Amino acid sequence: MTDTTVIDRTHDLSQPLERLGPDETMKDRSDYLRGTIADGLLDRITGAVPSVDDVKLMKFHGIYQQDDRDLRDERRRQRLEPAYQFMIRVRLPGGVCTPAQWLKLDELARAHGGETLRITTRQTFQFHWVLKDSLRPIIQGLHETLLDTVAACGDDSRGVMCTVDPQSSRFHAEVAALAKRVSDHVVPKTRAYHEIWYGNERVAGSDPEEPFYGRTYMPRKFKIGFALPPSNDIDVYAQDLGLIAIESDEGLAGFNVVIGGGMGRTDQAPETYPRLASMIGFVPAGRVIACADAVMAVQRDYGDRRDRQHARFKYTIDDKGLDWIKNEIERRMGFPFERERAFDFASNGDSYGWNTTPDGRHHRTLIIENGRLDLKLLDALRDVARLHRGAFRLTANQNLIIAGVKTEDRPAIDAILAEHFPDSDHVSTLRRNAISCVALPTCGLAMAESERYLPTLLEKIETILAENGLSDEPITVRMSGCPNGCSRPYIAEIGLTGRAPGKYNLYLGGGFHGERLNRMVKENIGEATIIDVLAETLGRYARERQPGEHFGDFTIRAGIVREVTEGRFFND
Ligand code: SRM
Ligand code: SF4
C-alpha cells in the first residue's frame, strides 16, 4: 500500500506565540518535550515532579502525576504532602499485545503498579499507583518487549483505535495493520523519550526534530479510530478523525472519513459540548495516511491555541464551518474526497464467549468489569499467557479477547477460565453493555465515584429490568465521574456523569450503536432519583415499545427526550 500524495509538512503556525495560552509557551520552551523532567526525577525531597511544566510535559510521555484522593484530607490534616503517585498509559495501537508482552505488563504491575492493571476505553493498559522511582523501571521494562508510552497522552495524536473483533470483517487484519501504521506515522519524532527514560545520549542532527508537529505540537489531544462495520465498537463518531472501512468485491475499497467527534464538556459552560463526528467523504485505502496528515495539519494550524477549553478539533470545525474545513483538507491532500459509500453499524458492544474465524482460529471474549484487572484476574490471565500462542486484544468496552487460539490449545485455556471466570458466561446483558471511567481515587478531575460505584447501581437497575421482563434487552449504560466523558457517556442510552460526591446528571436517548447523542433529563441527582426515573422510563419502555425498538430510540419516539441533532445544540 503506498500513498500517492506528499503534503507540505512544515509547521505554518498562523498565530503569534506570545498571544497564545501558557501551555503553548511551555511546549515551545520545552526543547521538544525534554523540559527538566530528568532532573525532577532525581529530586528526593518530594514524591512529586517539582516543576509544574514538567508535570504537563510528562503527559506527552504517557505519564500523569496523581495523588491518592482517598488519603488527601488525612494527609492534609497531618501536614504531609499528598500521596503522590503516577499513572502510566501504554501506547497500544488497536489494542493488540502478544503473550510475552502480557507477561511483562503483568510482572511490572505486580512489582510497581499496586498489583493491578486497567484496560481503558481506548484499548490500552494503564498502570496506577506508580511511585516516582518506579517510572523508569516500568518504561524500561516495557521497552524490553517493544512497548512504549510515547504520546499516550498530551497534545498529540493519542492511541489509534481499531475495531477489535477479528470476525467483524475479512479485512480485519489489513485494517488493524493500517491502524498500527498510522499510529507509527503520527507519533512524535523527538528523541526526548529515549534520552529521559532509556538514558540514550542526545545526538545532534541537522533534520528537524518534529517535522510535522513543530515546537508546539497540537493545540490539544487528537484521537483517531478505525471502525469495521457492522461493528462500531470503537465509537467512531467520538473520534477527532474516524475512518469507517468500506469493502468491495475486489477487496478493501477504502474508508468513509468522519471528523470532529469528541465528548468533553463542562457543566454550566454551554459553549462546551459533546459532538458526533461529521461525514466528509471517502478516501481509497492507499490514501489514508495522506488524509490523516492533512486533517491533523488543518487542526494543528487552525485549532484554538488561546483557550484550551475550546481547542479540540470539534470547535475548530464549528467555528470555521464544515465546508471550509473539508476544502482545506482537500487542498492539503491534493485530491478531493469521493462521495461517501453505504455502510451499516449494528452495535457498539462486544461479542462474548468463543467465536471461530474462517482460518480455524478461536477467539474468546472475557468480560472484565470496568476494565479492572485485580490480582485474581492477573493470576488467571498470567496462566493463560504462559500457554497462549495467539494474541490478546483489548476492546474499547474495556473487555479482553484471548485471540487466535489454536483448536488444540482451547481445552487448556477453557480449564483456566472455568476455574477463574466461572460466571463469565452468565453476566447480565446490562453489565455486558456497561462502561465506567476510572474516577476516584486516582483521577484528579473526578467529582464523583464511577468505577467503584457502577457495579452497585447496576444491581439496582438489573432489578428494575427483571421486574419489567427486560433482562435480556441490550441497553447501553455509561458512567463517568465528571463531565469530561471518558466512558463516552453522551452516546449511551443511559448516561451518568458525576457532579459531586453521590450526585450525577442523568442522560437518556443515545443511539444503541453510537450514532446519536443523548440529552440530560435530570441534573445533580442522587441514587434514589436515578432509580425512580429509570423505573418509570423502563416501565414505559416495557409496555409501549415497538418490536425491535432500542431503549434510546424509544425515549425519543415517546417524547421523553428531544433528539439532539447537532453537538452545539446539546445544551438547548
Ligand atoms: Fe479521559 C482526562 C482517563 C478516555 C475525555 N482521562 C483524563 C484523565 C487523564 C484525567 C486528567 O487529565 O488528569 C483521566 C485519568 C484517570 C485515571 O486515574 O486513570 C482519564 N480517559 C481516561 C480513561 C483511562 C478512562 C477509562 O476508564 O478507560 C481512558 C483512557 C483512554 C486511552 O487509553 O487513551 C479515557 N477520555 C477518554 C475518552 C474516550 C475516548 O477517547 O474514546 C474521552 C472522550 C472523548 C474525547 O476525548 O472527547 C476522554 N479525558 C477526557 C477529557 C475531556 C477532553 C475534552 O475535550 O474536553 C479529559 C480532560 C482534559 O483533557 O482536559 C480527560
Ligand atoms: Fe476522570 Fe472525569 Fe475522565 Fe472519569 S470522566 S476518568 S472522572 S476525567
Side-chain angles (χ1 to χ4, degrees):
M1 194 180 290
T2 53
D3 291 300
T4 51
T5 310
V6 177
I7 68 155
D8 174 14
R9 289 178 139 268
T10 54
H11 187 208
D12 56 32
L13 188 67
S14 55
Q15 307 167 67
L17 195 63
E18 59 276 12
R19 284 203 262 117
L20 305 182
D23 285 53
E24 296 304 312
T25 322
M26 183 275 296
K27 286 182 271 181
D28 182 58
R29 292 184 183 150
S30 75
D31 190 13
Y32 296 101
L33 310 181
R34 289 176 181 83
T36 54
I37 296 173
D39 295 337
L41 294 176
L42 300 175
D43 188 319
R44 293 278 153 266
I45 295 170
T46 168
V49 168
S51 150
V52 177
D53 283 354
D54 288 342
V55 170
K56 289 184 182 170
L57 286 176
M58 282 169 71
K59 296 183 186 181
F60 292 77
H61 301 248
I63 301 166
Y64 276 83
Q65 181 169 300
Q66 303 181 322
D67 69 285
D68 185 339
R69 294 187 56 186
D70 284 346
L71 302 181
R72 226 182 235 186
D73 291 345
E74 182 53 31
R75 292 189 62 101
R76 199 177 291 137
R77 263 193 296 277
Q78 294 188 17
R79 295 174 189 279
L80 295 168
E81 75 168 13
Y84 288 118
Q85 58 187 37
F86 296 82
M87 177 269 272
I88 305 186
R89 192 179 286 162
V90 178
R91 188 165 64 97
L92 201 67
V96 188
C97 75
T98 64
Q101 289 171 331
W102 183 284
L103 289 172
K104 179 54 77 176
L105 287 153
D106 171 279
E107 177 196 318
L108 295 169
R110 287 169 197 268
H112 307 287
E115 301 184 317
T116 174
L117 277 172
R118 181 65 156 54
I119 299 176
T120 74
T121 53
R122 292 189 70 80
Q123 302 178 285
T124 190
F125 296 100
Q126 281 185 185
F127 295 90
H128 286 108
W129 312 108
V130 178
L131 298 179
K132 192 162 80 173
D133 283 348
S134 298
L135 290 172
R136 276 203 180 107
I138 290 199
I139 291 179
Q140 290 174 4
L142 292 172
H143 187 45
E144 286 167 25
T145 54
L146 303 181
L147 288 173
D148 63 58
T149 65
V150 180
C153 324
D155 297 345
D156 42 34
S157 170
R158 302 290 188 87
V160 176
M161 298 177 81
C162 182
T163 290
V164 74
D165 191 348
Q167 49 167 6
S168 54
S169 153
R170 62 199 160 109
F171 300 109
H172 181 265
E174 195 177 333
V175 176
L178 186 55
K180 165 89 172 68
R181 214 176 124 213
V182 168
S183 169
D184 292 344
H185 179 75
V186 296
V187 84
K189 304 293 181 270
T190 168
R191 301 291 295 167
Y193 188 87
H194 299 72
E195 294 161 20
I196 297 169
W197 306 108
Y198 305 153
N200 291 0
E201 286 294 317
R202 186 168 190 170
V203 184
S206 52
D207 293 338
E209 275 211 71
E210 288 290 7
F212 177 81
Y213 286 113
R215 298 175 67 84
T216 48
Y217 294 80
M218 296 296 279
R220 205 64 162 85
K221 58 179 85 169
F222 192 90
K223 298 182 172 179
I224 302 178
F226 287 80
L228 280 134
S231 173
N232 185 23
D233 58 341
I234 64 143
D235 279 324
V236 75
Y237 298 113
Q239 313 287 330
D240 291 285
L241 168 60
L243 296 141
I244 302 168
I246 303 293
E247 301 181 8
S248 71
D249 292 343
E250 289 76 47
L252 176 67
F255 296 86
N256 281 347
V257 179
V258 296
I259 57 168
M263 294 283 100
R265 63 181 287 272
T266 304
D267 289 320
Q268 280 136 1
E271 66 282 11
T272 64
Y273 46 83
R275 183 185 190 281
L276 294 187
S278 315
M279 178 71 69
I280 53 170
F282 169 91
V283 286
R287 292 182 150 187
V288 162
I289 291 196
C291 173
D293 271 344
V295 173
M296 282 185 65
V298 170
Q299 164 63 356
R300 179 196 63 194
D301 297 342
Y302 292 100
D304 188 340
R305 288 180 185 261
R306 291 187 183 83
D307 176 3
R308 288 182 67 77
Q309 274 215 27
H310 186 254
R312 290 295 293 272
F313 193 26
K314 59 185 174 182
Y315 301 121
T316 319
I317 293 170
D318 286 345
D319 290 351
K320 293 268 180 200
L322 187 62
D323 287 344
W324 188 92
I325 293 280
K326 181 180 169 185
N327 287 339
E328 185 62 16
I329 295 168
E330 288 177 332
R331 189 182 71 74
R332 290 169 187 242
M333 289 195 301
F335 58 87
F337 286 104
E338 295 173 29
R339 184 190 284 266
E340 77 207 54
R341 309 270 171 99
F343 67 97
D344 266 321
F345 283 133
S347 121
N348 59 3
D350 295 332
S351 47
Y352 294 102
W354 280 110
N355 292 293
T356 304
T357 34
D359 60 2
R361 295 294 182 120
H362 309 282
H363 315 277
R364 170 73 195 251
T365 306
L366 294 173
I367 297 168
I368 308 293
E369 190 156 48
N370 301 329
R372 177 62 66 186
L373 296 167
D374 60 11
L375 196 52
K376 196 168 131 270
L377 294 185
L378 285 179
D379 284 348
L381 292 164
R382 181 174 60 182
D383 287 351
V384 172
R386 282 177 177 150
L387 61 87
H388 182 37
R389 292 180 285 168
F392 289 96
R393 295 177 181 273
L394 311 191
T395 85
N397 292 294
Q398 303 169 315
N399 294 312
L400 177 68
I401 307 184
I402 304 168
V405 177
K406 291 188 171 171
T407 305
E408 60 269 28
D409 291 343
R410 209 173 127 164
I413 290 179
D414 269 335
I416 297 170
L417 299 183
E419 188 185 335
H420 296 283
F421 293 83
D423 301 327
S424 181
D425 290 334
H426 308 291
V427 171
S428 74
T429 308
L430 185 71
R431 271 168 217 262
R432 289 174 178 222
N433 290 289
I435 309 184
S436 88
C437 75
V438 180
L440 294 165
T442 56
C443 178
L445 305 179
M447 297 171 174
E449 295 282 354
S450 183
E451 179 187 323
R452 297 194 294 195
Y453 169 54
L454 185 62
T456 318
L457 182 69
L458 289 182
E459 249 172 62
K460 295 177 182 164
I461 304 177
E462 278 163 353
T463 307
I464 300 173
L465 293 174
E467 286 165 0
N468 287 284
L470 293 171
S471 297
D472 294 333
E473 208 53 49
I475 297 173
T476 53
V477 184
R478 293 174 176 186
M479 175 178 275
S480 281
C482 82
N484 283 320
C486 298
S487 59
R488 299 184 289 269
Y490 307 114
I491 36 181
E493 294 180 291
I494 301 173
L496 290 146
T497 61
R499 280 296 289 267
K503 299 283 186 195
Y504 297 84
N505 292 346
L506 172 64
Y507 301 80
L508 297 176
F512 180 70
H513 43 86
E515 78 287 13
R516 185 180 58 235
L517 290 171
N518 52 24
R519 193 186 280 279
M520 184 158 65
V521 292
K522 287 278 176 194
E523 193 172 2
N524 206 14
I525 54 173
E527 183 179 282
T529 316
I530 295 171
I531 293 300
D532 283 351
V533 175
L534 290 181
E536 190 194 326
T537 324
L538 288 163
R540 278 192 63 186
Y541 175 55
R543 292 188 300 275
E544 300 170 28
R545 73 191 151 140
Q546 293 174 348
E549 188 174 35
H550 284 294
F551 178 58
D553 299 339
F554 167 77
T555 55
I556 287 173
R557 184 179 60 78
I560 296 164
V561 288
R562 251 179 327 118
E563 184 168 357
V564 178
T565 47
E566 272 184 48
R568 66 172 89 199
F569 303 132
F570 181 81
N571 298 313
D572 287 359

